[in-house]
Amino acid sequence: MPSLKNKITVLLMAPTIIFTTTNCVNTNKSTSTNTTTPPTVSTPEPAKPNPLLATWEGPYGGVPPFDKVEIPFFKPALEAAMAENLAEIDKIANNAAAPTFGNTLEAMERAGETLDRVQTIYGIWGSTMNNPEFQNVQREMAPKLAAFSDKITQNEALFRRIEAVYNSPEKARLTPEQQRLAWRYYTNFVRAGAKLDATAKARLSQINQQLAGLFTRFSQNVLADETDQVLVLKSEAELAGLPQSLRDAAAAAATTKNMPGAWVITNTRSSVDPFLTYSDRRELREKAWRMFVNRGDNGGSHDNNTIITEILQLRAERAKLLGYPTHAHWRLENAMAKTPERAVELMEAVWKPAVKRVGEEVADMQALAKKEGANIKIEPWDYRYYAEKVRKAKYDLDQNEVKQYLQLEKLREGMFWVAGELLNFNFTQVTNVPVYHPDVRVWEVKDKTNGQHVGLWYFDAFARAGKRSGAWMNAYRSQQRLDKNITTIVSNNSNFVKGKAGEPTLISWDDANTLFHEFGHALHGLSSNVTYPSLSGTAVVRDYVEFPSQLLEHWLSTPEVLQRFAVHYQTGKPIPQNLVQRIEKAATFNEGFETVEYLASALVDMKLHLAGDQKIDPDAFEKQTLQELGMPAQIVMRHRTPQFLHVFGSDGYSAGYYSYLWSDVLTADAYGAFVEAGGPYDKAVAQRLRQHIFSVGNTIDPAEGYRSFRGRDPKTEALMRKRGFLTPGTKTRKAVPAGGKRKAQ
């Protein structure tokens, strides 16, 4: 659950402790008519204070009290914190003094800290510790939290003060960061409906509450399918082709599911993808594939199609209320792309060469299948299996061979080393802070040179019941120095499948890339060096936030990381140089598949939200759109519509899944700066990266920040080359808006 500051990207809340207590007085009266002793009254015992409302205590500027959390605490804590925050907002709005930056915008930056703490832990439970009891709280509180947000953005007296500060001649005397903050407050309040009339505001609030409830139901339905549906393997014959590490993981999953003697493929990508890659049993591959791609699309109580239709209708209505043609136009107005048309232009430019590459990949697989005597037509459940065979035949590269050198713990050490080289960070594991699950571990981050404390990094690596699938980064606390220096707390969360007890967890090359990707988000947060919490860390536009994370993926394949940290799990020997060379040679292998499955999701997302208020049947729309695009029959969307949590679990990536591609244009171009300077660890380029990208948060326009780092705007040429799509005559263009330098606000 995002805090309010993330929802409208302006409000970070601040401190007052309110405890909700209920005193229960038991009076014991004697029933004897002969007694003259007065009734005995027991001493009332006050209820324990709600720990979620307390200021975080302990080392490192305070840490979340995970060891004190109980699900019944959440509802009263949220309600008390919302009431406190509204009181703080009313005090700001009704201040008799003339509005100034200090008594209005800085006051808002200080307001609502209690709610921010509560919502942080609430969000962690929602994504990592979810169960039916917690889901009841989510369903009740989602619309209440949405209504609360609207009470702030629709507060007319408050907006008048924000507007006055924004339009004041005094704004010119503010620092650039303060001017940026003023622009963000004003812009986001307007975009949230602050200028609408009373009737429109009321309807907007109804829409937001309805959407909040639908997002919750959508997410819970996907989680239910991921939790309840598994593929059970009952014999050695059904394990044919599976490497030992995957067999061990499946056996461990079966033990967790109370199925001793069996093997279980769980309904998550980290479990299904390896099975599709290695299983020799085609009929079982099809079962696993259908189980995974049909999450949220199986009919019954967990089907998401009706919910999607309702979400799209409400989003379209909200966009029109706010004065935009479609939800997509509203979402992209302040993104780097600026308009849906520009995002679509980039996607379509990459789509055509990617589809062409898929045709070549399928031809190779079909030929190999025929050579092996398999009289089949390549289907989606065959793609990974035969792609792996082609990889081995063409490049003498077996991903299972590579996996022997990719130990989760060693790669984590490698990430720490890269962070030290690029950003001067040092990581030391600590055990003096509470965690919400035994799997979670914590590291203190310091500056290598002066030993100064930078922040904390929590790592929650493994899949479990109640944890949503995928990988992500969280910020538990944002860096700021408004009144005092507040350091950040960040986390990385993954869903690796545990293997046999006592043995290292081995992961695939793709999973290793994802590990570095999410760590890039964490480093973005840890590097933050700003004054105001609303502008801190990763609080940047959606099509820029993936840039630092995608950039860090490049360092996984550097010789310095591979030779030192990619060591064999049994012998401890570093990965052989000839294997590294084969990895490099196959760097763009299967890129058609990877790009098309992603772009299909991004294009369907955008076209769903450009469709306006037409009533949409999600399955039919998805099928028709893919047909019109010329989607290869052998590939399915990376995230099919009924399970597309990025888009329908919140507003987060709605009409914004294209962001990964947009950011990758920046990524490929930015890595070129290191290459041109002589290598990925060039100190001068790394310093520019930290100064202009990683540390500035949202204090400057991202296009300006990129130009300060690179000396020019990015081009698509580097992206096309990175993906192996660059051919003679390929046209390139700038990826950031022309004339992107923003006037001082």
Side-chain angles (χ1 to χ4, degrees):
M1 173 68 198
S3 66
L4 182 57
K5 71 174 182 293
N6 291 325
K7 181 175 179 183
I8 62 172
T9 62
V10 271
L11 303 173
L12 177 69
M13 315 183 195
T16 303
I17 302 172
I18 297 178
F19 299 107
T20 52
T21 58
T22 303
N23 296 328
C24 181
V25 180
N26 296 316
T27 303
N28 299 317
K29 297 183 179 179
S30 171
T31 57
S32 169
T33 58
N34 298 324
T35 181
T36 57
T37 306
T40 302
V41 180
S42 63
T43 304
E45 293 201 18
K48 294 179 182 178
N50 191 323
L52 300 185
L53 292 165
T55 302
W56 292 352
E57 298 178 345
Y60 316 114
V63 293
F66 292 132
D67 54 336
K68 299 177 182 177
V69 176
E70 296 175 18
I71 291 175
F73 291 152
F74 281 114
K75 179 185 174 182
L78 286 166
E79 290 176 337
M82 283 190 287
E84 173 192 317
N85 192 203
L86 287 176
E88 293 169 337
I89 292 297
D90 283 342
K91 184 177 180 181
I92 297 169
N94 298 318
N95 188 343
T100 65
F101 183 87
N103 68 19
T104 302
L105 302 190
E106 285 191 337
M108 291 188 69
E109 288 291 280
R110 295 184 178 98
E113 189 176 275
T114 303
L115 180 57
D116 195 53
R117 290 194 303 268
V118 175
Q119 283 192 286
T120 293
I121 298 176
Y122 181 63
I124 293 166
W125 248 248
S127 58
T128 67
M129 299 289 287
N130 212 318
N131 62 23
E133 182 185 4
F134 184 81
Q135 289 176 7
N136 289 334
V137 179
Q138 284 183 306
R139 285 191 290 269
E140 180 178 356
M141 295 308 299
K144 291 183 179 180
L145 287 162
F148 158 79
S149 299
D150 289 331
K151 286 180 182 177
I152 296 179
T153 56
Q154 295 183 10
N155 185 314
E156 293 185 14
L158 178 66
F159 178 66
R160 284 197 298 270
R161 294 184 69 86
I162 293 170
E163 188 174 38
V165 173
Y166 178 71
N167 289 326
S168 171
E170 297 297 315
K171 189 176 67 173
R173 298 195 177 106
L174 300 176
T175 67
E177 181 177 350
Q178 289 172 332
Q179 292 184 48
R180 179 75 173 174
L181 186 68
W183 173 80
R184 272 175 65 80
Y185 266 104
Y186 176 77
T187 301
N188 283 290
F189 267 70
V190 171
R191 285 171 48 76
K195 288 190 171 184
L196 298 179
D197 61 34
T199 302
K201 282 181 178 177
R203 178 54 188 154
L204 182 64
S205 187
Q206 289 176 346
I207 291 172
N208 287 336
Q209 291 174 60
Q210 288 176 267
L211 283 171
L214 292 168
F215 295 155
T216 299
R217 287 171 52 200
F218 184 96
S219 301
Q220 291 181 356
N221 285 342
V222 175
L223 181 62
D225 279 357
E226 291 177 345
T227 302
D228 299 342
Q229 297 175 7
V230 296
L231 176 64
V232 181
L233 309 176
K234 298 179 179 179
S235 68
E236 284 283 343
E238 293 184 334
L239 302 177
L242 302 185
Q244 190 60 47
S245 60
L246 185 52
R247 294 180 180 214
D248 292 342
T255 300
T256 302
K257 294 284 186 181
N258 296 316
M259 297 179 183
W263 297 263
V264 165
I265 303 301
T266 57
N267 202 8
T268 64
R269 193 175 299 279
S270 293
S271 186
V272 170
D273 279 1
F275 184 79
L276 295 177
T277 302
Y278 295 110
S279 174
D280 290 335
R281 297 288 296 270
R282 190 174 190 236
E283 79 284 5
L284 294 178
R285 293 203 306 270
E286 182 178 358
K287 284 184 179 180
W289 180 85
R290 291 192 184 281
M291 175 181 74
F292 188 67
V293 303
N294 287 329
R295 289 167 296 148
D297 196 24
N298 293 300
S301 60
H302 296 146
D303 191 278
N304 274 330
N305 283 285
T306 300
I307 292 175
I308 293 168
T309 301
E310 293 179 46
I311 289 174
L312 292 171
Q313 290 287 113
L314 289 168
R315 281 175 171 163
E317 183 184 354
R318 180 176 60 185
K320 286 193 172 181
L321 270 176
L322 293 168
Y324 297 86
T326 70
H327 176 77
H329 289 86
W330 176 62
R331 288 286 294 164
L332 270 69
E333 181 184 42
N334 284 333
M336 289 193 78
K338 301 298 181 189
T339 68
E341 292 76 19
R342 296 199 71 225
V344 170
E345 180 187 353
L346 174 63
M347 288 190 282
E348 290 181 344
V350 179
W351 174 260
K352 292 177 183 178
V355 169
K356 182 175 182 292
R357 177 62 56 82
V358 167
E360 297 166 359
E361 292 171 1
V362 171
D364 287 343
M365 290 187 286
Q366 199 71 61
L368 189 144
K370 183 178 180 180
K371 183 179 179 182
E372 291 185 343
N375 185 25
I376 64 168
K377 178 184 176 183
I378 299 295
E379 299 285 358
W381 48 89
D382 299 318
Y383 209 110
R384 292 181 184 275
Y385 180 74
Y386 281 100
E388 187 61 22
K389 285 176 173 286
V390 172
R391 189 197 316 263
K392 193 168 184 179
K394 270 193 162 186
Y395 302 100
D396 190 23
L397 184 63
D398 183 345
Q399 284 299 300
N400 199 43
E401 178 187 2
V402 177
K403 195 173 184 179
Q404 311 304 306
Y405 295 91
L406 301 179
Q407 301 175 60
L408 175 61
E409 289 304 298
K410 287 293 184 182
L411 290 173
R412 175 190 53 72
E413 293 174 11
M415 296 191 311
F416 289 173
W417 182 82
V418 170
E421 293 299 300
L422 294 182
L423 302 170
N424 207 42
F425 289 157
N426 181 65
F427 289 73
T428 305
Q429 188 168 1
V430 296
T431 57
N432 59 339
V433 299
V435 293
Y436 54 84
H437 189 276
D439 283 348
V440 181
R441 292 170 293 160
V442 188
W443 279 260
E444 181 185 11
V445 186
K446 292 183 177 180
D447 184 284
K448 280 172 60 177
T449 302
N450 58 27
Q452 183 176 346
H453 174 78
V454 172
L456 293 178
W457 182 72
Y458 287 59
F459 189 36
D460 184 359
F462 299 107
R464 60 176 173 271
K467 185 178 182 182
R468 71 176 175 88
S469 61
W472 64 96
M473 170 266 187
N474 269 357
Y476 297 170
R477 181 173 66 207
S478 297
Q479 175 273 331
Q480 58 153 307
R481 53 172 185 272
L482 177 55
D483 295 312
K484 60 179 180 178
N485 187 39
I486 303 295
T487 57
T488 191
I489 302 176
V490 300
S491 77
N492 280 150
N493 310 270
S494 304
N495 272 278
F496 299 115
V497 180
K498 288 183 180 178
K500 188 179 293 185
E503 292 192 359
T505 299
L506 304 179
I507 66 176
S508 69
W509 184 262
D510 285 346
D511 281 341
N513 265 301
T514 300
L515 189 68
F516 270 66
H517 175 103
E518 296 303 334
F519 191 60
H521 284 306
L523 294 181
H524 191 185
L526 287 164
S527 300
S528 181
N529 184 23
V530 307
T531 301
Y532 298 101
S534 290
L535 303 176
S536 179
T538 59
V540 298
V541 292
R542 183 64 67 189
D543 52 9
Y544 193 70
V545 74
E546 298 298 337
F547 164 39
S549 55
Q550 291 181 177
L551 181 62
L552 199 76
E553 294 176 29
H554 288 79
W555 274 264
L556 167 63
S557 59
T558 60
E560 293 85 348
V561 169
L562 292 180
Q563 291 301 310
R564 192 174 306 190
F565 302 102
V567 297
H568 197 278
Y569 80 105
Q570 290 177 324
T571 67
K573 292 183 178 179
I575 189 168
Q577 187 56 35
N578 70 336
L579 181 54
V580 173
Q581 290 171 350
R582 282 179 277 152
I583 293 172
E584 291 174 349
K585 190 176 179 182
T588 60
F589 175 76
N590 215 33
E591 191 60 59
F593 172 84
E594 299 287 347
T595 302
V596 164
E597 70 157 6
Y598 157 72
L599 271 181
S601 294
L603 283 161
V604 168
D605 163 41
M606 188 63 76
K607 290 178 184 296
L608 280 167
H609 291 101
L610 284 172
D613 57 5
Q614 64 175 281
K615 193 167 185 179
I616 286 173
D617 176 333
D619 279 344
F621 187 94
E622 176 185 305
K623 183 178 180 180
Q624 180 181 343
T625 302
L626 294 177
Q627 285 177 343
E628 291 171 354
L629 287 169
M631 178 75 164
Q634 301 83 5
I635 301 181
V636 71
M637 294 164 62
R638 182 168 179 82
H639 303 288
R640 285 200 55 240
T641 313
Q643 69 229 205
F644 208 164
L645 286 166
H646 288 76
V647 173
F648 297 108
S650 70
D651 274 331
Y653 281 85
S654 61
Y657 196 60
Y658 79 91
S659 300
Y660 290 91
L661 185 67
W662 192 277
S663 292
D664 207 23
V665 173
L666 306 177
T667 299
D669 191 73
Y671 191 68
F674 284 93
V675 173
E676 292 160 16
Y681 297 95
D682 184 89
K683 295 295 183 184
V685 180
Q687 175 57 29
R688 293 206 311 272
L689 184 72
R690 183 171 188 173
Q691 179 182 354
H692 299 296
I693 306 295
F694 275 73
S695 69
V696 296
N698 202 2
T699 60
I700 61 174
D701 182 272
E704 291 181 37
Y706 189 86
R707 281 192 288 269
S708 296
F709 162 70
R710 192 68 168 103
R712 59 167 174 77
D713 290 331
K715 300 176 181 178
T716 59
E717 180 180 354
L719 172 72
M720 302 296 277
R721 182 182 298 109
K722 173 185 175 182
R723 299 194 176 213
F725 299 154
L726 191 63
T727 58
T730 300
K731 293 181 179 180
T732 61
R733 63 177 180 83
K734 293 180 180 180
V736 295
K741 184 167 183 178
R742 188 186 303 281
K743 296 178 181 178
Q745 299 293 336

